[in-house]
Amino acid sequence: MEVVSIKGNSHTVQIQGKRVSVIEDGIDQTSQSWGSMADQSKNKEQVPEAPFKKARVSVRAISEAPMICDGCQWRKYGQKMAKGNPCPRAYYRCTMAVGCPVRKQVQRCAEDKSILITTYEANHNHPLPPAAAAMAKTTSAAAAMLLSGSSTSKDGVLPSSGYFHSLPYASTMATVSASPPFPTITLDLTQGPNPVPYIRPPSSAPTFPLPLHGYSMLAPNKLSPFPGMRMGQQRTSSVVETVTAAIASNPNFTAALAAAISTIMGAPPPPTPSNDGNSATKNGGNKNNSSSNGVPGFPGSPQLPQSCTTFSTN
DNA sequence: CGGGTTTGACCAGCGC
DNA sequence: GCGCTGGTCAAACCCG
């Protein structure tokens, strides 16, 4: 079952057990392109009125590693303790290109330390490795859809659309938060209908196999058709792949999402149980994104804060 | 020696 | 206007 829910600014998509939430902030795509996807997103009509300046994509994943590998090279430029979260937030910049504006924030959920929340901002202005490109596409697509659909900026839950139908792992949830400052799309890879085995990479693994990362890196073309995969890594990878593929390659996804958003916008905001127990998603944790977790209440999905990664694209 | 990480300080934005 | 918090910068340190 795929469930796409958009709450306020966040869209949550559930794909067979997996939840992907995408949060985009102000999609003003500057011109950067995450891989190739950015194209769509950026163009989307930028709503002058929209306060959003940047789109962010958050990915929540369960990982014990300090950071997830997404195919790009990052340099840490700062770390701060976020209020309300005992875990420090780390700031990274993409070093694959000199002027690459992409930044990402990595933070663990206060509630569930096993969940890693990664938030990406801006788009890469340089060629990306397959893995990274996939991520970029996903985020861009999400951002694009967000922009196109949510010119208004409200939260909403997307009813299950067909976006992810094609995805083997339709359990992923994507949450789109259109918080004024930054629309954020959160991909929640931690939750699923079935308690997915946490992704616990062997302690030996230095970097936690991010779904996206791993997926693209490992088997870009091979999506595991097994939704039931338990391997944390694979599972995640699969999910990511699925989501990415769906979003990136599925124009319908964007359209559907947009439609859903539009619908939502027009309709009263769904009851957003702000209780996500997991607020884990403090994506950014910044004050601005109140949307916070893109993971509002998923209809029927247990909210398991597992890991969170956030990408933001401008 | 070069690159990256760590850590403290500074600055800007927002809420009260 | 003040204080708080988040985000970034820059110097020092560490590792390969």
Side-chain angles (χ1 to χ4, degrees):
Chain A
M1 334 176 43
E2 319 116 56
V3 176
V4 176
S5 58
I6 297 173
K7 274 186 128 203
N9 305 328
S10 58
H11 304 285
T12 300
V13 177
Q14 282 189 330
I15 299 176
Q16 295 188 347
K18 292 179 180 177
R19 210 195 274 183
V20 175
S21 37
V22 179
I23 298 171
E24 296 181 357
D25 288 355
I27 302 176
D28 123 346
Q29 333 245 347
T30 345
S31 54
Q32 313 174 350
S33 50
W34 273 62
S36 51
M37 61 170 191
D39 303 349
Q40 315 176 356
S41 23
K42 21 172 116 176
N43 307 330
K44 294 303 183 154
E45 34 192 56
Q46 296 180 348
V47 182
E49 298 174 351
F52 306 131
K53 295 177 178 180
K54 299 177 180 180
R56 290 183 180 180
V57 178
S58 302
V59 177
R60 310 194 322 182
I62 297 171
S63 167
E64 291 182 0
M67 186 173 94
I68 57 175
C69 295
D70 49 21
C72 289
Q73 291 184 321
W74 302 92
R75 177 178 170 181
K76 188 175 184 177
Y77 66 88
Q79 179 173 306
K80 281 208 84 159
M81 293 299 295
K83 186 178 181 181
N85 189 333
C87 301
R89 178 183 301 165
Y91 300 88
Y92 296 86
R93 283 182 176 173
C94 177
T95 59
M96 291 187 79
V98 177
C100 185
V102 178
R103 294 176 193 169
K104 78 173 179 180
Q105 297 176 1
V106 178
Q107 182 174 40
R108 285 186 180 284
C109 291
E111 285 127 20
D112 188 335
K113 310 274 178 80
S114 64
I115 297 175
L116 193 67
I117 302 172
T118 304
T119 303
Y120 294 80
E121 271 187 31
N123 297 309
H124 294 279
N125 58 8
H126 55 86
L128 296 171
M135 289 288 284
K137 287 182 179 182
T138 300
T139 58
S140 297
M145 108 184 136
L146 188 69
L147 292 179
S148 63
S150 63
S151 40
T152 5
S153 71
K154 287 203 126 219
D155 300 345
V157 175
L158 294 178
S160 54
S161 309
Y163 320 133
F164 301 92
H165 283 285
S166 58
L167 302 180
Y169 306 89
S171 57
T172 304
M173 301 258 328
T175 302
V176 177
S177 313
S179 307
F182 308 96
T184 305
I185 292 176
T186 303
L187 299 180
D188 188 341
L189 304 176
T190 64
Q191 303 182 0
N194 304 322
V196 180
Y198 292 8
I199 299 170
R200 299 188 173 206
S203 50
S204 60
T207 55
F208 129 86
L210 185 64
L212 297 181
H213 149 42
Y215 117 58
S216 30
M217 301 291 281
L218 303 178
N221 298 333
K222 303 178 177 180
L223 295 181
S224 331
F226 311 84
M229 223 165 227
R230 349 176 144 185
M231 302 296 289
Q233 297 178 351
Q234 293 188 353
R235 161 173 93 85
T236 314
S237 300
S238 304
V239 174
V240 175
E241 291 178 1
T242 302
V243 175
T244 301
I247 295 171
S249 59
N250 208 330
N252 292 333
F253 172 77
T254 302
L257 197 61
I261 294 170
S262 298
T263 300
I264 293 170
M265 304 285 209
T272 313
S274 48
N275 58 343
D276 330 336
N278 316 327
S279 42
T281 54
K282 324 183 126 233
N283 308 335
N286 296 346
K287 25 181 146 190
N288 6 344
N289 52 348
S290 47
S291 55
S292 49
N293 329 332
V295 185
F298 316 126
S301 59
Q303 303 176 350
L304 304 179
Q306 296 186 346
S307 49
C308 317
T309 303
T310 308
F311 294 82
S312 19
T313 56
N314 292 343

